[in-house]
Amino acid sequence: MTGAKKKKKSMLWGKMHTPQCEDIIQWCRRRLPILDWAPHYNLKENLLPDTVSGIMLAVQQVTQGLAFAVLSSVHPVFGLYGSLFPAIIYAIFGMGRHVATGTFALTSLISANAVERIVPQNIQNLTTPSNTSVLGLSDFEMQRIHVAVAVSFLGGVIQVAMFVLQLGSATFVVTEPVISAMTTGAATHVVTSQVKYLLGMKMPYISGPLGFFYIYAYVFENIKSVRLEALLLSLLSIVVLVLVKELNEQFKRKIKVVLPVDLVLIIAASFACYCTNMENTYGLEVVGHIPQGIPSPRAPPMNILSAVITEAFGVALVGYVASLALAQGSAKKFKYSIDDNQEFLAHGLSNIVSSFFFCIPSAAAMGRTAGLYSTGAKTQVACLISCIFVLIVIYAIGPLLYWLPMCVLASIIVVGLKGMLIQFRDLKKYWNVDKIDWGIWVSTYVFTICFAANVGLLFGVVCTIAIVIGRFPRAMTLSIKNMKEMEFKVKTEMDSETLQQVKIISINNPLVFLNAKKFYTDLMNIIQKENSCNQPLDDISKCEQNTLLNSLSNGNCNEEVSQSCPNEKCSLILDCSGFTFFDYSGVSMLVEVYMDCKGRSVDVLLAHCTASLIKGMTYYGNLDSEKPIFFESVSAAISHIHSNKASDKLLFGNLDFPTMSLLS
């Protein structure tokens, strides 16, 4: 008997752990997204726009690579490497088709803290150039890049560990206001770090709590040391960059190729500096010697990992959150989906693998991603094409950038952060939609300014969770409801076969960032079932709400929603009488539901809406002003449907309309 049990157990074990060929292929396609889209790549339709976008992206990658390497307190050439290898790795493992991974201002700023702490500037005089060093750089430069590489490697390990722990699903706690405030505050830090180059001043490295204010205090105390030549060149560069980029944006539909003003400015400034010998004549600081080629890969130094663990966590979290926001935005804009957890793997491997090639920490940047949007990129092929041109710069053009003034490079950084800095305009939006989110934005920004991006991010998340926990007890969430689906048919004079189906769904919970995505998924599942034809079912299981956040799939409710035939038209009424409160994420999700249903020819009507909800939705989304969507009651919404569909006779009878609780 025991032998039979062992045999049966071994057979079950073998059956459970024997992977099928199809399972392996599916796993590879899930973990290597390039295998999913590359075989279906349309050369005729996509190659030309991807090539144009790749060339324009390469210009951004080179300029930002040089600039963000300086921001990271390492030699500029390492920024070129950071613009090459992470983009290749992400194209293989990442799911964002319009996400341009490479050097990033926020991660560079965090990395600089570790570099300046472990290898401070004052030991530079103790080191000398070495012929045995990599690329002929000094031991001082190599010590600095070793610290930055260690931060990149450990940050990537942390991201991969979060992938293994499936923590991608927990990113919903990082709300849009928190991301917006954190990135805006970090961008303000980056601009502040470039002040010394914009003014041509010699300034010691200042960081730590309130370091933002100490920098400006130092500037005002030493205002007489500002170089007028550097200031004028910086102002001229900023004006030219802003003006040309605005013209490119305004006339992008009329011109086929936008002017690469960053590249033109670099060439012009370098040539002018060379001809006038600005380095010696006016004392302007220039980029200096940029070695050719790529060094042989080398393992990151493991002996300093414990010293950079704080910065590594900052790089892992801040870089991932900023990159995920861009990936989700591109997926929403171009109608495809991404896996939050897979993005952890993609960015983690981008940092780990790149660290073996002397790359500073990487992430996706808003400016580069917006550039892919504007130039019409279709896939990640645009990023791969940009890598070819970055490689050309590394091997051929790099030494020609010796004469590039640092003030011009700083101007490119400042203008490139425009997309983040103008997020101040979000304050008006949050004030009109949800004043608590407005308060979270302001407080997160202040914490980011006073301390650092990772501290601001942590404060924003904790503050958001604490506020939601405080607001939830006011909601009537503990209830038991019979969830029935109501369907009725209306015959019209024009077409006696037309069937009108109305679904009434009751929202009995607050709609906030914690359950907004679940609300959208469940509602779309109901609507998608309308594509098939089945007989309506009368019985739907009863769902008891035992937890604070319980919705259709979480509550073990296996509803079988009645299906309509293809010639039926569906109207959806959302009963918001139990909608006790909401935040910005909830309003944006409601508007997204409305727009998606509109695209599916499903009319959405909202009943029992509060004045604040109507104001928030009207302000947030471009709702159809010709058709009323807000009604005082469910019966008023039903009457509106009938007045549009059956003007002669309504076949309602005396019906009692039950509701289906979506967030019960």
Side-chain angles (χ1 to χ4, degrees):
M1 190 70 178
T2 304
K5 287 184 177 180
K6 288 183 178 180
K7 185 176 181 181
K8 184 177 181 180
K9 185 176 180 181
S10 62
M11 290 177 63
L12 290 173
W13 182 265
K15 186 176 181 180
M16 291 173 59
H17 290 76
T18 302
Q20 302 295 325
C21 181
E22 185 177 342
D23 296 333
I24 296 176
I25 295 175
Q26 186 178 2
W27 183 90
C28 290
R29 293 182 65 180
R30 189 168 66 251
R31 296 304 170 212
L32 297 170
I34 192 173
L35 299 179
D36 191 29
W37 59 264
H40 308 289
Y41 186 78
N42 192 324
L43 289 173
K44 186 176 180 180
E45 294 183 3
N46 298 337
L47 184 59
L48 180 59
D50 280 344
T51 301
V52 174
S53 298
I55 296 173
M56 301 302 297
L57 176 61
V59 175
Q60 289 182 300
Q61 289 277 37
V62 171
T63 55
Q64 292 184 3
L66 295 171
F68 294 155
V70 174
L71 183 62
S72 191
S73 298
V74 299
H75 194 279
V77 71
F78 299 116
L80 296 180
Y81 306 152
S83 300
L84 174 65
F85 294 101
I88 297 174
I89 302 301
Y90 184 83
I92 298 173
F93 293 94
M95 300 186 71
R97 301 173 193 171
H98 301 80
V99 175
T101 304
T103 55
F104 185 42
L106 307 190
T107 54
S108 296
L109 196 63
I110 296 172
S111 174
N113 292 332
V115 173
E116 293 289 349
R117 188 182 73 252
I118 298 175
V119 189
Q121 187 73 30
N122 54 19
I123 72 168
Q124 183 175 6
N125 297 330
L126 303 178
T127 60
T128 57
S130 174
N131 293 329
T132 60
S133 180
V134 177
L135 300 174
L137 298 175
S138 67
D139 291 338
F140 172 76
E141 294 290 356
M142 295 311 301
Q143 290 175 19
R144 288 202 148 197
I145 188 58
H146 284 157
V147 176
V149 162
V151 174
S152 178
F153 175 79
L154 187 56
V157 170
I158 293 172
Q159 288 174 328
V160 172
M162 291 180 175
F163 160 76
V164 173
L165 296 174
Q166 299 289 304
L167 295 182
S169 57
T171 54
F172 68 90
V173 299
V174 187
T175 61
E176 184 176 333
V178 172
I179 296 174
S180 174
M182 183 271 293
T183 52
T184 306
T188 309
H189 270 297
V190 174
V191 172
T192 301
S193 69
Q194 298 303 300
V195 168
K196 63 179 181 180
Y197 298 116
L198 295 173
L199 302 179
M201 296 178 62
K202 296 292 184 181
M203 183 188 302
Y205 182 80
I206 301 175
S207 64
L210 304 180
F212 173 86
F213 303 100
Y214 291 138
I215 290 175
Y216 286 105
Y218 182 91
V219 170
F220 285 112
E221 289 175 359
N222 300 271
I223 196 69
K224 293 182 180 180
S225 63
V226 173
R227 292 189 179 274
L228 185 60
E229 298 84 2
L231 177 60
L232 293 176
L233 188 55
S234 300
L235 291 175
L236 179 62
S237 301
I238 292 175
V239 169
V240 171
L241 287 169
V242 172
L243 182 62
V244 175
K245 289 190 175 184
E246 287 296 325
L247 291 175
N248 283 339
E249 185 67 23
Q250 186 174 355
F251 297 102
K252 64 181 180 180
R253 295 184 178 180
K254 297 182 180 180
I255 55 179
K256 294 183 179 180
V257 180
V258 297
L259 178 65
V261 62
D262 293 358
L263 178 62
V264 173
L265 181 62
I266 287 176
I267 295 174
S270 300
F271 183 74
C273 185
Y274 171 77
C275 293
T276 59
N277 194 19
M278 291 184 183
E279 182 182 14
N280 298 321
T281 305
Y282 302 107
L284 288 184
E285 187 177 356
V286 296
V287 170
H289 172 65
I290 295 182
Q292 286 180 303
I294 299 176
S296 301
R298 182 180 297 181
M302 301 297 171
N303 58 325
I304 62 173
L305 292 183
S306 59
V308 299
I309 189 168
T310 302
E311 288 80 9
F313 266 104
V315 164
L317 296 178
V318 173
Y320 172 76
V321 167
S323 301
L324 181 64
L326 294 174
Q328 290 176 336
S330 66
K332 183 177 179 180
K333 183 179 180 67
F334 296 99
K335 306 298 181 183
Y336 61 89
S337 61
I338 63 168
D339 181 358
D340 296 353
N341 211 54
Q342 178 66 21
E343 291 298 291
F344 259 132
L345 177 64
H347 290 288
L349 292 178
S350 295
N351 279 314
I352 292 175
V353 176
S354 300
S355 66
F356 286 81
F357 295 91
F358 300 95
C359 295
I360 59 179
S362 64
M366 181 181 293
R368 296 194 298 266
T369 302
L372 290 178
Y373 290 169
S374 61
T375 52
K378 302 296 182 181
T379 65
Q380 278 288 339
V381 171
C383 295
L384 295 176
I385 292 175
S386 73
C387 293
I388 298 175
F389 290 94
V390 172
L391 205 59
I392 294 174
V393 172
I394 291 174
Y395 277 95
I397 305 177
L400 301 178
L401 299 174
Y402 177 97
W403 298 99
L404 177 62
M406 290 298 298
C407 59
V408 174
L409 200 56
S411 301
I412 294 174
I413 293 178
V414 171
V415 176
L417 294 171
K418 175 190 172 185
M420 292 185 183
L421 294 174
I422 62 175
Q423 290 180 133
F424 277 109
R425 297 185 301 187
D426 292 346
L427 282 172
K428 181 180 179 181
K429 176 174 62 177
Y430 296 129
W431 180 265
N432 284 278
V433 175
D434 183 20
K435 291 179 177 56
I436 291 181
D437 277 339
W438 182 90
I440 292 174
W441 196 103
V442 173
S443 58
T444 301
Y445 177 80
V446 170
F447 263 75
T448 303
I449 287 296
C450 294
F451 300 98
N454 50 348
V455 177
L457 177 64
L458 180 61
F459 170 81
V461 170
V462 173
C463 185
T464 303
I465 295 175
I467 289 175
V468 170
I469 292 175
R471 295 171 80 183
F472 253 101
R474 297 189 288 110
M476 295 183 298
T477 56
L478 297 177
S479 62
I480 302 175
K481 283 185 176 288
N482 274 326
M483 297 183 294
K484 299 284 186 179
E485 179 184 2
M486 186 276 295
E487 176 184 292
F488 59 88
K489 302 177 181 179
V490 175
K491 294 183 180 179
T492 64
E493 286 187 348
M494 292 184 296
D495 184 2
S496 61
E497 297 298 325
T498 299
L499 301 176
Q500 176 68 35
Q501 185 185 41
V502 174
K503 296 182 181 299
I504 304 176
I505 297 178
S506 176
I507 306 175
N508 291 328
N509 259 349
L511 189 58
V512 293
F513 71 96
L514 289 171
N515 56 0
K517 186 180 293 185
K518 190 66 177 60
F519 166 78
Y520 176 83
T521 302
D522 291 336
L523 192 57
M524 288 300 107
N525 287 339
I526 293 174
I527 296 173
Q528 286 173 359
K529 290 181 180 180
E530 300 301 323
N531 294 330
S532 59
C533 287
N534 293 320
Q535 293 296 326
L537 299 175
D538 293 330
D539 295 329
I540 300 178
S541 60
K542 182 181 291 186
C543 178
E544 181 173 357
Q545 184 178 22
N546 294 319
T547 59
L548 186 63
L549 296 176
N550 196 10
S551 54
L552 278 176
S553 61
N554 288 346
N556 298 322
C557 297
N558 300 319
E559 294 85 355
E560 298 182 15
V561 182
S562 63
Q563 310 299 326
S564 62
C565 293
N567 64 338
E568 289 182 339
K569 187 174 181 179
C570 181
S571 293
L572 179 65
I573 299 177
L574 297 179
D575 181 6
C576 302
S577 57
F579 202 175
T580 52
F581 67 86
F582 56 89
D583 65 359
Y584 181 83
S585 299
V587 171
S588 63
M589 193 59 70
L590 272 178
V591 174
E592 187 174 345
V593 165
Y594 173 80
M595 300 305 295
D596 283 358
C597 290
K598 184 178 178 181
R600 301 169 187 264
S601 298
V602 177
D603 295 328
V604 178
L605 298 87
L606 285 81
H608 296 114
C609 297
T610 61
S612 59
L613 177 61
I614 296 174
K615 178 183 177 182
M617 289 189 65
T618 304
Y619 184 85
Y620 179 89
N622 297 321
L623 304 180
D624 194 345
S625 58
E626 298 179 359
K627 297 180 180 180
I629 65 170
F630 302 106
F631 297 89
E632 295 182 355
S633 62
V634 174
S635 59
I638 295 174
S639 298
H640 173 76
I641 295 172
H642 276 275
S643 65
N644 290 339
K645 299 299 180 181
S647 58
D648 290 340
K649 187 177 180 181
L650 304 180
L651 302 180
F652 271 91
N654 294 321
L655 296 179
D656 182 26
F657 303 114
T659 60
M660 176 165 54
S661 174
L662 182 62
L663 295 176
S664 57

